[in-house]
Amino acid sequence: MIRATLSRRLVAVSLMAFAVGVSACGQGGAADPAEAEAGEYERGPHNGRMLRDGDFALEVTIFEEGPEPLYRLYPYLNDEPVDPRQVQASIALTRLGPSVDRFAFTATEDYLTSPTVVAEPHSFDVAVVATHAGQQHRWAYPSYEGRTIIAPDAAQAGGVTTERAGSAFLGESLPLQGRIEITPEGQSEVHARYPGRVMALSVELGNRVRRGQVLARVESSESLQTYSITAPISGVIMAKNTNVGSITGNGEPMLVIGDPDQVHAEFFLYPRDAERVRVGQRVEVLSLAGDHRINAPVEAILPTADITSQTLIAHVHLPSQNGAWRPGLGVRGTVQVATSEVPLAVQTKAIQPFRDFQVVYAKVGNTYEVRMLELGRRTPEWTEVLGGLEPGTEYVVDGAFLIRADIEKSGASHDH
């Protein structure tokens, strides 16, 4: 019997007293008392909420097995099913804000249904009206999820900040790979002016030298006179191709000097990306270890491609940072290749996971509630919003994870 089934499912219908909870900040925030409901109501045969008024009852369910959640209402008289064609019903959902969603129902099979989708979040104050046999029945109850109340001083203590959702400029970025090299101006080859024998050599590989410093003495093969060879630039001996007694004049440099403080990043541009990168565009350069970062412009793009890698080379100037950028080490880069305005966006750091959704937390007064988002393009700073949030909505930017923790602690479940 339906009556027996309902009796077994009966749970005392009451709104539990809710003590002031500790907020996510631990500073005395309060959760909404209605959230203590947590499923404490009578459930019907379809696991919905049973609403009773005398001998008449209405089971309210949200059918979520299809592509979109829809209301289904099952009417009963003396706990026996009633032909839904004998019942007229409507539901009004008052959301935080406030806004009101209205539902009108028609009979189908053994229930009443509405074609209107129950939009997320399923958090609202519910008002139900049903008419049967000329008698009208009314009910009202809260059904909240993802909602909490936090006092202003508690929110401030927890570092919660907000801003209003609106348009934003999103930059399209391109990742780059490259390496640090000494600039052409920062390196020099040392040659003997006249062929001859090396009589003295005062430097070794890795030694630091200054401009004008005597590096070697060579005896000319023609005049037999000895002359000095000096450093054309200051720097470090990067290559050494001679020793005392060696004969110079074969075209190979005796020494190569490089200044490790004069460096740039050389980034490889594949043909599909080369046309999108321009001189003057800003590049964020990051060492592979992640301990050094700088933002600098593209200063040159070489017009010819490397035969082996089939890439063009983009040069990005790096100022001296006390040896932070070492020649030969790999680096990563990110270049902004395009910027476009989107009508609605939120700061990327504000987005939090909630159930199977990506959400932000809207703020209305001292109440915070989830907003399930349909997202578009994303950058480290901004994320485009395609649906789920109204322009102008105040949302949490900093401290969003604290709001999430407070909601999870308060037990605002997905229940109807």
Side-chain angles (χ1 to χ4, degrees), residues 145-165:
E145 72 161 341
R147 180 187 291 195
T148 191
I149 295 176
I150 298 179
D153 56 344
Q156 182 178 7
V160 175
T161 66
T162 64
E163 71 173 42
R164 295 198 177 274

Side-chain angles (χ1 to χ4, degrees), residues 189-203 209-219 226-232 242 248-249 253-255 257:
E189 294 181 346
V190 178
H191 292 267
R193 295 193 301 274
Y194 310 106
R197 184 181 300 276
V198 177
M199 305 302 293
L201 189 64
S202 60
V203 293
V209 299
R210 65 184 183 279
R211 182 180 180 182
Q213 177 181 335
V214 175
L215 305 178
R217 297 186 64 81
V218 176
E219 181 185 72
T226 301
Y227 63 91
S228 299
I229 296 177
T230 58
T242 192
T248 67
M254 298 173 60
L255 303 166
I257 301 175

Side-chain angles (χ1 to χ4, degrees), residues 23-85:
S23 74
C25 312
Q27 299 292 325
D32 194 306
E35 290 186 283
E37 195 173 30
E40 294 290 337
Y41 52 78
E42 180 186 357
R43 293 184 179 272
H46 304 90
N47 202 36
R49 181 190 293 261
M50 288 294 291
L51 304 177
R52 294 184 176 275
D53 185 14
D55 294 333
F56 183 79
L58 192 68
E59 183 181 2
V60 180
T61 70
I62 295 182
F63 184 75
E64 297 187 275
E65 296 180 12
E68 300 286 359
L70 301 171
Y71 268 121
R72 287 185 178 182
L73 310 181
Y74 296 86
Y76 303 93
L77 186 64
N78 293 319
D79 289 336
E80 295 292 341
V82 171
D83 185 345
R85 292 173 297 179

